[in-house]
Every structure is written in C-alpha cells, then in structure tokens.
Amino acid sequence: MGRRARLRAQTTAEIKAIALKHLSEGGPDALSLRAIGREMGMSGSAIYSYFETRDALITTLINDIYTSLLDQVETARDAVAPDDIAGRILAWGQAVRLWALANPEGFRLIYGDPVAGYHAPAGGPAPEAAKRACLGLTELAAAAWPYAKATQASTDHQWSDFSPGLADTIREHFPDLPPAAVALALRMWGRMHGLISLEVYGHLGTQTGDPAKLYHAELLDLIRSLGLGVEHARQPGMPRTST
Amino acid sequence: MGRRARLRAQTTAEIKAIALKHLSEGGPDALSLRAIGREMGMSGSAIYSYFETRDALITTLINDIYTSLLDQVETARDAVAPDDIAGRILAWGQAVRLWALANPEGFRLIYGDPVAGYHAPAGGPAPEAAKRACLGLTELAAAAWPYAKATQASTDHQWSDFSPGLADTIREHFPDLPPAAVALALRMWGRMHGLISLEVYGHLGTQTGDPAKLYHAELLDLIRSLGLGVEHARQPGMPRTST
DNA sequence: CACTAAGTTTGAACGGCGTTCTGATTTAGG
DNA sequence: CCTAAATCAGAACGCCGTTCAAACTTAGTG
C-alpha cells in the first residue's frame, strides 16, 4: 500500500532480522525485546506496535525458520532422481542434519524448548511447516512402501491412529497408501531426529568424535531395513554404475 | 558430623525438593531461587550458602534426575532374563519412554534446553549418568552383536571415532567388542531418543493419537533389524511358548 | 488547506529475576 | 568464654516482559 505500510513491513523485517542475529550470536538468552530495540535505536516497548507480545515474535521466527528448513530439505531431495528412492531418503536425512548443525539455535527453536518461558500457541507454532515435513516424509515412505511393506507391516495401524487432519491430507495425496506406511513415515522422522537432536544438544560429542559417520550409518541401515539395496544410495554426482 | 552439618544436609535436600516440585508444577520458568526461598521462608540470597549459583543447583538436579532415570531403566531391563536379548532391549526402550512421559520436565532437563539461560559445565552436567546410559546400551548391543554383525557392520568404524574415555571403559568391560558394535549402541540410543523427544516436545501429538503404538513398532523393527526374531520379544509375564 | 483519527514512539512504572554485598545473628571449637 | 566461621536478611544493581499515559507523526477527509 502506501508509504506507511512499507515502513511498517520494513521495520517488522528488521526486528525479525535482529532477533535472528541475536539468537544465533548469543543463544536463546540474548533474545530480548529491549535488546532488539536498543540495537534499532528504539525503545523496547515500541516493538509492541509490531508484535503483540514476545511470544508472538518467537512464533513468527519459528515459522520462518521451519519454512526455510523445509525449503532446503526439499531442494536437496529434489536434486536426486525420483526413481532413486534410497538416494532421496539419504538426501533428505543428510539435509536435515546439515541444516541443524548450521543453525543449531533454529533447530532448538523448532524442536526444543525455544527460549525462556515461551509458550507455543494451540496447534503448534508452525502448523503448515510441520505438515509439509510430515507430507514430505510420507512421500518418501510411500515410494519405498512397495519394497518395505513385507517387513514393515508387522504392527497393525489404523487411520484412526492419526489426527484427522493429517489422515485426510495424506489420503488426498496418496489414495492407496495404507496407514502402516504413515506410521513408517513418522518412524523415519523419529529415526533421523534422534541422532540429530542428541548431537545438537551435545550428548553425542562427549561419546563419539565422528557423529557424521554414525548418522550416515544410521541412514544406510534405515534404507536397508526398507528393502532398498544400499547400492541404491549413490553419492550425489556419482554415475549410476550398478543398480 | 555434628548438628550443623545435619541441618545443612537437610536444608540442601529441601531446596532440591522444592526446586523439583516447582519444576514439575510450573515448568522450567517456575524454577527460581527467589521462589524457592519464599516457599522455605528464607530470603533468595540465602540459597547461595548451599549452591554457588543457580546453575550449580540445576546441575545437581540434572544429576539426580538422570541417575533416577537410569535406576529405573536398569531395573526394568534386569526384570527380563539375560538370555532374552530382544526382551531386554524392549524393556529398556519402554522404560525410557514411560519415564520420559511421567517426568517430561526431567526429560527436558536432561536432553533439552533445561531452563532459561542455563549453561552446562564442561564435560556435561551428569557425566557418570551419561556413561551409565552409554554402557547399558553397549551391553545390549554387545549381547545382540553375534546376531546383528552380519547386517550392522557395513560402515567401518574405528576406536578412534570415539572419545578415549568411552573407548577405554568399554574395552575394559567388553574386551572383544568391535567398534562397530559401539556405533550400533549409539544408534540404538538415537533411535529410542528420536520418537520419545518428538513426543515429549509435542511434535507427535499433533500427528498421531497413539504414540505408544508407533514407538512399540519402532522397537520391534529395531529388534528385527538386529537379527533377533520378533517372537523373542515376549511381553513381561508371558510364558516362553515359542522360541 | 485544516483537522481529526489512527498509528507510532517514548519514558516511566511494576513486578519479576540472578547475583553481590554489608551487616547482623547464630553456632562450633579451642 | 571467645573467636572465627557459617548462615541469614535485606538492600542494591542491572536485566527482563509488559502496561500505560502522553507526545509525536502521518493519512485521509471535508
């Protein structure tokens, strides 16, 4: 719209940018409205014109960060040929870890206790991003399902096990997918998340000096357990010598 | 020693008890030295006679909680016959999850960002407990290794991949264990940790209504991928009908 | 143009926090 | 008994999120 709205958008963006800067430089404690205002030459209370409360600002940050994570992960996945299922799973998993290591504060913001006394709104701070993550993993699980169903269908899952919103969305995108495959997608999520969060929170560094190798082995084991041959997990750039 | 020391120990215990109470009742934000003092009829600064700083108190709490977690997990594991490897793994995994759900604040304290601006001391807040956890998992991995090595030894691990302290401790307890088995133990840790932390932090609840089933399926898949038949994973109390 | 209504900003204020410091009080040991 | 150490209260400092009244700036209307 007019100049007013432009200034407002610019100031909002500056607040978020400085918040992210403080977050990555000084950790979660450095994120304070007063400090942001100080750096902008504003009083701390002025920020309340742009965000209803500190938690609202944090929620917005989580949304932005979660979205950027998914952009990056989906890009990495799409750099691998669609028929190379193992390669796409590997790319997804590696992208999540690399992003988490590059943006540990962002990872904590999304998956941990974000910051002192922050309370997420009902439905989570970033429902669309979370759905995108879930859907992306489901897509991988769906592609692997023909190979994996022989070994992965031991426990019986029903659609009623999942939230209605998720179930409907998935059935819309993947009409013939059984609920067990959705469970597989969530378990894949957990499997990637486990080692990454242990590493980000420093519980792995005291035990092993090479978390990357550990994580890679875990991804390979995941691929193998899905019935996808390890030889399918080509490194990016490698020609398809053997199938 | 004398009466003085007894009073001191008692007051110290009361501080920790109230801190835990506030933690579980009001979340991490409710943990404050002033609030603890208020409830004890003491001034907030008086606590500095018992703990050098707030972080020292938190470190002590983490130590206590982590130790109690391991006590419980080890008890659950030892309730299963030593030769029932799959059952012991299952018991371990289930015990961790049940403990985490019963003590979510404790779980966050150990594995997440504990509380506003807490900084863990060098070497981690609870090194002995962490070592116990690692060793317990290694014991499980070692027991499963004869069955698992055929499929789990794909990536090559060296002893130099692990921290010297851990490597020495393990080689002392399990002289013939290859480093790949230690990597397996850490990956088992990650696998259990992933779904549990997603659930504790509320990322699973919005997707599935039955995290228990999901987690159980994950444990069964883990056991299967180790080459241990699923039929080995008896429910506690079930007679050994088939092997 | 003037004028009003909305949006923006400030600065003080409130209550909370961890931490430090000064004194007072209690207690243990020589 | 008396001295030195331990324990405690209370004020103080600087930080925080949030609220509020008052000043200031801008946009839109008559």
Side-chain angles (χ1 to χ4, degrees), chain A:
Chain A
M1 292 261 184
R3 195 178 69 113
R4 193 90 177 230
R6 216 174 330 125
L7 278 180
R8 185 181 172 80
Q10 183 181 318
T11 307
T12 306
E14 189 180 354
I15 291 173
K16 294 204 288 186
I18 294 182
L20 285 174
K21 200 187 97 186
H22 286 189
L23 197 63
S24 65
E25 285 179 356
D29 326 342
L31 198 150
S32 101
L33 297 185
R34 288 178 127 117
I36 293 171
R38 215 176 295 134
E39 179 146 343
M40 295 177 61
M42 278 192 353
S43 87
S45 56
I47 300 181
Y48 283 81
S49 290
Y50 299 90
F51 294 94
E52 215 167 33
T53 178
R54 191 200 57 148
D55 283 12
L57 168 59
I58 296 176
T59 297
T60 304
L61 292 181
I62 294 178
N63 227 308
D64 289 3
I65 293 177
Y66 210 160
T67 302
S68 91
L69 161 62
L70 277 160
D71 289 345
Q72 198 158 323
V73 169
E74 288 176 359
T75 301
R77 176 203 59 188
D78 293 337
V80 178
D83 64 314
D84 183 7
I85 306 168
R88 277 166 88 86
I89 293 175
L90 197 58
W92 180 288
Q94 295 283 18
V96 174
R97 176 170 174 271
L98 291 178
W99 183 91
L101 293 184
N103 310 29
E105 302 300 344
F107 184 85
R108 294 158 108 99
L109 214 55
I110 297 173
Y111 291 112
D113 290 316
V115 90
Y118 168 73
H119 288 283
E128 332 82 35
K131 184 177 275 188
R132 257 175 88 189
C134 213
L135 226 68
L137 283 162
T138 305
E139 190 188 316
L140 294 176
W145 189 245
Y147 306 89
K149 66 176 156 197
T151 54
Q152 296 294 333
S154 54
T155 311
D156 56 326
H157 298 275
Q158 283 96 36
W159 283 113
S160 58
D161 291 348
F162 306 102
S163 77
L166 179 69
D168 292 347
T169 310
I170 286 178
R171 271 188 290 193
E172 184 185 332
H173 286 73
F174 311 97
D176 299 329
L177 204 63
V182 184
L184 171 61
L186 290 176
R187 291 200 286 111
M188 285 168 56
W189 188 15
R191 217 159 148 177
M192 295 172 178
H193 182 75
L195 282 178
I196 293 177
S197 82
L198 282 177
E199 181 177 3
V200 167
Y201 284 98
H203 298 280
L204 228 50
T206 57
Q207 319 287 0
T208 173
D210 200 342
K213 188 188 279 187
L214 202 65
Y215 185 71
H216 190 246
E218 178 69 1
L219 289 182
L220 290 184
D221 186 54
L222 166 62
I223 289 167
R224 186 186 56 75
S225 82
L226 293 178
L228 303 168
V230 180
E231 70 276 2
H232 287 182
R234 298 189 300 279
Q235 295 297 335
M238 268 195 184
R240 310 186 186 180
T241 50
S242 65
T243 43

Side-chain angles (χ1 to χ4, degrees), chain B residues 80-186:
Chain B
V80 178
D83 64 316
D84 183 7
I85 306 167
R88 278 166 86 87
I89 293 175
L90 198 57
W92 181 288
Q94 296 283 19
V96 175
R97 175 170 175 273
L98 291 178
W99 183 93
L101 292 184
N103 310 6
E105 303 300 343
F107 184 85
R108 294 157 109 98
L109 214 55
I110 298 174
Y111 291 113
D113 290 317
V115 90
Y118 168 74
H119 288 283
E128 332 80 34
K131 185 177 273 186
R132 256 175 88 188
C134 212
L135 225 69
L137 282 162
T138 303
E139 190 188 317
L140 294 176
W145 189 246
Y147 306 89
K149 67 176 155 199
T151 54
Q152 297 294 333
S154 54
T155 311
D156 55 325
H157 297 274
Q158 283 97 37
W159 283 113
S160 58
D161 291 346
F162 306 102
S163 77
L166 177 70
D168 291 349
T169 311
I170 287 178
R171 272 189 288 195
E172 182 185 332
H173 286 74
F174 311 96
D176 298 329
L177 204 64
V182 184
L184 172 62
L186 291 175

